[in-house]
């Protein structure tokens, strides 16, 4: 089947025609090859079966004649074969001297049909192209069987014509030859239509996806109720669009939040510069130096946090895979917090060693401890223990402030999230510390979660997974 697409078709339509042509041609080639191999195999098996059946019938007929000869004599056998042999078979009974003494059809008694002379109870066969003794030019299968009687060894000859076999094989061959083009035509049309129907659904999905841009990420493709690969493709496309929409929404919110965070220090710096520039004495500049320096530092830390968070989100963190004495890291950050905090800080540390980046782990602890220091009333409790079954490590940071509401315990690790007025810019938090901590923990194949201690305190739990070593130093 060679169907050419009309000129001027769109690229997608032309592509469909090409796919349909290739699929149809492939299907026709496969079916034609299968029909050829199957037809040849069928004819070979059919011919073998017919030959075996013809020989079996000849053997059976000769055995029947032998039974009659043994029971009733040669004369009765002659009357038997004259009355019962059908189907074009020719049967002769030859005496010990080789002369014909009984025959199934007139005109076949002048001379033996074959020179085969088997021993008693032996069966010999041969194929001959013609029987000149009776003037028949057809091919015959001859079966000769011998039987010993009282007056000597007799031979029963059964000649079965093979023209019926050849005609049967020829008829089946013509039927196969005639049916093949019809079958190929049906297969070609069916494949053409089925592939076209499938490609129409794919084209509809492609068209719907091509119309979706950044302003219409909420649109979805139609899912056909076909329960096949086309339906799976549509579902996969919708899931991809959902991820793109979610990523786009997150990116827009991130840009909005980052702009909002940067607007305040930039406004302060601009106002300070303008005021200082208007004072030719320089006194105002000296008075604003500390404020401007503080806002500059604030912008610096905010930008650093944003870069750190961006690396955590796109997998761009570069870690040193070293053995880390986690208890040393926790102890160092605990002593740092004690030097600046007004709260009572206690620590219960078990020596634990993990694999990771000590600087990044320290950054996680610093963010979590600073968050606890901002929200504690009077005390902070830090503990470090090995994980379950001696693998990994668990750090818990408890403070006696209000626990994070259960409904907000996942959202608290999102960017720029402040759950209440106490978590304000003036309180020192940018809303990025816990998000950075979650990103670093994920990069270390660990986790961090907000929960509540048995005493009702606010708790943050850091879990490092993997094998642990007990250095045994304390």
């Amino acid at each position: 089947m060679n169907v050419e697409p009309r000129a001027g078709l769109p690229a997608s339509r032309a592509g469909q025609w090409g796919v349909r042509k290739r699929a149809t041609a492939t299907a026709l080639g496969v079916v034609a090859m299968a029909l050829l191999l199957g037809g040849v195999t069928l004819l070979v098996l059919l011919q073998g079966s017919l030959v075996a059946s013809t020989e079996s019938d000849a053997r059976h007929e000769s055995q029947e004649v032998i039974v009659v000869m043994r029971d009733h004599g040669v004369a009765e056998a002659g009357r038997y074969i004259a009355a019962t042999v059908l189907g074009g078979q020719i049967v002769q009974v030859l005496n010990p001297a080789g002369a014909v003494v009984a025959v199934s059809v007139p005109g076949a008694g002048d001379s033996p049909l074959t020179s085969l002379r088997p021993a008693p109870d032996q069966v010999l066969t041969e194929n001959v192209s013609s029987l000149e003794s009776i003037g028949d030019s057809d091919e015959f299968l001859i079966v000769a069987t011998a039987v010993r009687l009282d007056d000597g060894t007799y031979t029963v000859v059964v000649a079965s014509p093979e023209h019926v076999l050849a005609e049967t094989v020829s008829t089946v061959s013509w039927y196969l030859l005639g049916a093949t083009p019809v079958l190929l035509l049906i297969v070609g049309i069916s494949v053409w239509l089925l592939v076209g129907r499938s490609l129409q659904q794919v084209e509809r999905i492609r068209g719907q996806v091509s119309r979706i841009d950044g302003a219409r990420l909420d649109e979805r493709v139609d899912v056909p109720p076909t329960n096949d690969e086309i339906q799976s493709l549509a579902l996969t496309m919708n899931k991809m669009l959902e991820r793109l929409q979610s990523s786009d929404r997150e990116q827009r919110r991130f840009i909005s939040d980052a702009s909002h965070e940067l607007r305040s220090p930039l406004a302060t710096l601009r106002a300070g510069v303008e005021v200082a520039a208007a004072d030719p004495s320089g006194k105002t500049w000296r008075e604003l130096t500390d404020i401007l320096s503080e806002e500059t530092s604030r912008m610096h830390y905010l930008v650093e946090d944003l870069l750190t968070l961006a690396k955590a989100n796109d997998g761009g963190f570069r870690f040193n895979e070293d053995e880390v004495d986690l208890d040393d890291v926790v102890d160092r950050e605990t002593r740092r917090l004690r030097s600046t905090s007004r709260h009572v800080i206690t620590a219960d540390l078990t020596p634990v060693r993990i694999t990771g980046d000590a600087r990044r782990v320290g950054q996680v602890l610093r963010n979590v401890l600073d968050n606890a220091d901002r929200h504690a009333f009077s005390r902070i409790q830090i503990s470090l223990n090995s994980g379950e079954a001696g693998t990994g490590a668990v750090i818990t940071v408890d403070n006696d402030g209000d626990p994070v509401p259960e409904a907000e315990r996942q959202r608290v690790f999102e960017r720029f999230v402040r759950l209440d007025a106490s978590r304000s810019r003036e309180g020192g938090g940018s809303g990025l510390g816990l998000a950075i901590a979650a990103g670093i923990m994920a990069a270390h194949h660990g986790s961090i979660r907000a929960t509540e201690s048995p005493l009702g305190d606010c708790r943050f739990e850091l879990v490092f997974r993997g094998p642990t070593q007990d250095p045994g130093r304390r």
Side-chain angles (χ1 to χ4, degrees):
M1 177 178 292
N2 186 10
V3 182
E4 293 296 333
R6 297 190 301 273
L9 283 178
S12 60
R13 292 290 301 279
Q16 289 186 45
W17 279 74
V19 172
R20 293 171 78 174
K21 286 177 59 179
R22 290 192 295 272
T24 303
T26 301
L28 289 177
V30 172
V31 173
M33 184 62 66
L35 288 175
L36 176 62
L37 295 177
V40 171
T41 303
L42 174 63
L43 293 177
V44 170
L45 293 177
L46 177 62
Q47 185 173 17
S49 175
L50 291 175
V51 170
S53 177
T54 301
E55 183 177 346
S56 177
D57 290 343
R59 287 172 177 266
H60 178 75
E61 182 64 26
S62 65
Q63 292 300 321
E64 290 290 334
V65 174
I66 289 174
V67 170
V68 174
M69 291 174 62
R70 284 174 174 170
D71 294 343
H72 304 287
V74 176
E76 183 63 26
R79 288 188 290 272
Y80 172 79
I81 60 179
T84 60
V85 173
L86 299 174
Q89 285 181 338
I90 302 174
V91 181
Q92 287 182 335
V93 178
L94 309 179
N95 63 16
V100 178
V101 294
V103 67
S104 61
V105 294
D110 297 336
S111 61
L113 299 175
T114 180
S115 60
L116 295 176
R117 297 295 183 268
D121 299 325
Q122 183 183 13
V123 179
L124 299 178
T125 63
E126 71 172 343
N127 293 90
V128 295
S129 58
S130 63
L131 293 177
E132 296 181 357
S133 60
I134 61 174
D136 196 325
S137 60
D138 292 332
E139 294 184 355
F140 281 84
L141 171 66
I142 296 179
V143 176
T145 309
V147 57
R148 184 181 297 278
L149 299 180
D150 294 338
D151 55 344
T153 300
Y154 287 77
T155 303
V156 177
V157 179
V158 180
S160 300
E162 293 185 332
H163 65 85
V164 176
L165 183 151
E167 290 176 356
T168 301
V169 173
S170 177
T171 301
V172 174
S173 300
W174 280 109
Y175 273 120
L176 289 176
L177 187 62
T180 296
V182 177
L183 183 59
L184 289 177
L185 179 62
I186 294 174
V187 169
I189 294 175
S190 300
V191 172
W192 182 268
L193 295 176
L194 291 175
V195 172
R197 182 179 178 183
S198 298
L199 289 178
Q200 285 178 358
Q201 296 174 342
V202 174
E203 173 61 20
R204 183 168 59 252
I205 294 174
R206 187 205 64 79
Q208 291 174 338
V209 173
S210 67
R211 292 191 297 269
I212 297 175
D213 53 21
R216 294 188 293 183
L217 287 176
D218 58 335
E219 295 186 9
R220 298 292 181 266
V221 302
D222 297 332
V223 180
T226 53
N227 196 27
D228 58 5
E229 288 77 6
I230 303 298
Q231 184 186 57
S232 300
L233 173 64
L235 292 174
T236 301
M237 295 300 296
N238 284 340
K239 291 180 181 178
M240 182 192 69
L241 290 172
E242 289 176 2
R243 292 194 297 269
L244 288 176
Q245 183 183 16
S246 176
S247 177
D248 179 74
R249 187 187 304 115
E250 187 71 14
Q251 184 179 21
R252 290 174 184 274
R253 188 166 67 88
F254 177 79
I255 294 174
S256 175
D257 291 340
S259 301
H260 186 67
E261 292 291 333
L262 291 170
R263 185 181 294 116
S264 177
L266 283 174
T268 303
L269 288 173
R270 180 178 180 180
V273 170
E274 290 177 352
V275 171
D279 183 5
S281 66
K283 180 180 179 182
T284 304
W285 177 259
R286 289 189 295 272
E287 293 176 348
L288 293 176
T289 298
D290 292 339
I291 297 176
L292 297 180
S293 177
E294 181 180 345
E295 291 300 313
T296 302
S297 298
R298 180 179 170 186
M299 282 188 61
H300 170 76
Y301 291 127
L302 182 58
V303 171
E304 287 293 327
D305 286 347
L306 289 173
L307 291 175
T308 300
L309 193 57
K311 291 180 180 179
N313 289 340
D314 63 10
F317 267 140
R318 294 183 179 179
F319 289 124
N320 296 321
E321 294 290 337
D322 300 323
E323 289 188 355
V324 177
D325 290 322
L326 190 56
D327 51 314
D328 286 347
V329 177
V330 177
D331 180 64
R332 181 169 58 252
E333 292 300 326
T334 301
R335 287 187 280 107
R336 179 198 64 81
L337 183 62
R338 282 197 183 108
S339 65
T340 59
S341 176
R342 57 185 175 81
H343 301 126
V344 176
I345 300 172
T346 59
D348 180 15
L349 308 182
T350 300
V352 176
R353 182 175 292 168
I354 64 170
T355 300
D357 189 313
R359 186 175 65 86
R360 290 297 186 183
V361 172
Q363 184 178 5
V364 172
L365 286 170
R366 177 169 300 193
N367 290 350
V368 174
L369 291 176
D370 288 346
N371 180 78
D373 189 51
R374 283 195 298 270
H375 299 97
F377 294 144
S378 61
R379 58 176 167 42
I380 299 174
Q381 170 65 38
I382 306 165
S383 66
L384 167 63
N385 296 284
S386 298
E388 296 181 0
T391 60
V394 179
I395 302 174
T396 59
V397 178
D398 298 341
N399 70 81
D400 59 353
D402 296 329
V404 177
E406 189 170 355
E408 304 289 346
R409 289 177 182 175
Q410 291 294 332
R411 199 171 72 88
V412 75
F413 295 103
E414 297 178 4
R415 295 169 295 193
F416 299 110
V417 170
R418 298 181 181 87
L419 299 183
D420 50 47
S422 66
R423 303 185 182 214
S424 61
R425 296 179 185 86
E426 289 71 17
S430 66
L432 294 176
L434 293 180
I436 292 173
I440 296 175
M441 289 298 295
H444 277 81
H445 307 292
S447 63
I448 179 173
R449 68 186 184 109
T451 182
E452 186 175 344
S453 73
L455 299 178
D457 293 340
C458 177
R459 168 174 290 185
F460 281 84
E461 184 178 82
L462 289 72
V463 179
F464 294 87
R465 297 180 178 85
T468 7
Q469 301 176 14
D470 185 351
R473 293 180 294 106
R474 292 188 181 93

